[in-house]
Amino acid sequence: MATIEMADGRIGRRRERDRGQTAIEFVGVTPLIILMLIALWQCALFGYTFILAGNAADVAARAGNGSQWRQTAACQEAGREDLPSAWQGEADFDCGGYEPGLYKAKVHLTVPVLVPGVLNWGPKVTGEAASAKEG
């Protein structure tokens, strides 16, 4: 080990002065890194819910439009079909919103929370789609 002369004239060994500093820094920064990863994962769940809501609304509108009978039931069944189980529980479908020449569907999905016991937060995401009436 190399000895060095300090600013105040003392002589010491560099390794002995810095012993344990890395471990303390690692312990101090680890919780912040974990919190950041949780926040990023929650943002990813939020974005994925937007994608699922849009796709479910699109599929539901096409199915409701293509069915002659039981349009609302066909719309809801088709919209739920591709949703993962975490999103199916509180999925809300509003099928049959009519506009001239269009069959509309709205899907409301609740964003699942990564840490459910800690956060009782679950914003709703809405997906809307329309399908041109055939015939």
Side-chain angles (χ1 to χ4, degrees):
M1 281 188 235
T3 60
I4 59 170
E5 185 173 345
M6 312 258 182
D8 61 358
R10 293 181 295 137
I11 296 177
R13 293 187 178 162
R14 180 178 297 256
R15 289 195 150 184
E16 290 176 5
R17 282 189 310 131
D18 294 338
R19 176 173 275 166
Q21 179 179 351
T22 304
I24 290 173
E25 289 174 358
F26 178 75
V27 169
V29 171
T30 300
L32 297 175
I33 292 172
I34 291 172
L35 285 175
M36 186 178 70
L37 290 174
I38 288 172
L40 288 174
W41 189 253
Q42 189 62 52
C43 289
L45 282 174
F46 200 76
Y48 187 55
T49 303
F50 268 107
I51 292 169
L52 288 175
N55 183 56
D58 188 41
V59 170
R62 279 186 278 133
N65 187 28
S67 177
Q68 288 183 338
W69 299 282
R70 299 180 51 233
Q71 285 184 330
T72 303
C75 172
Q76 291 178 356
E77 288 171 12
R80 268 187 215 283
E81 188 175 326
D82 292 335
L83 287 178
S85 60
W87 283 269
Q88 281 186 2
E90 296 184 26
D92 182 31
F93 290 85
D94 182 18
C95 297
Y98 289 101
E99 210 172 280
L102 293 176
Y103 183 86
K104 293 179 131 189
K106 277 187 186 180
V107 178
H108 305 283
L109 296 178
T110 302
V111 178
V113 180
L114 183 63
V115 188
V118 176
L119 298 172
N120 290 328
W121 176 70
K124 290 243 181 209
V125 171
T126 301
E128 297 183 38
S131 177
K133 289 186 183 178
E134 300 170 1

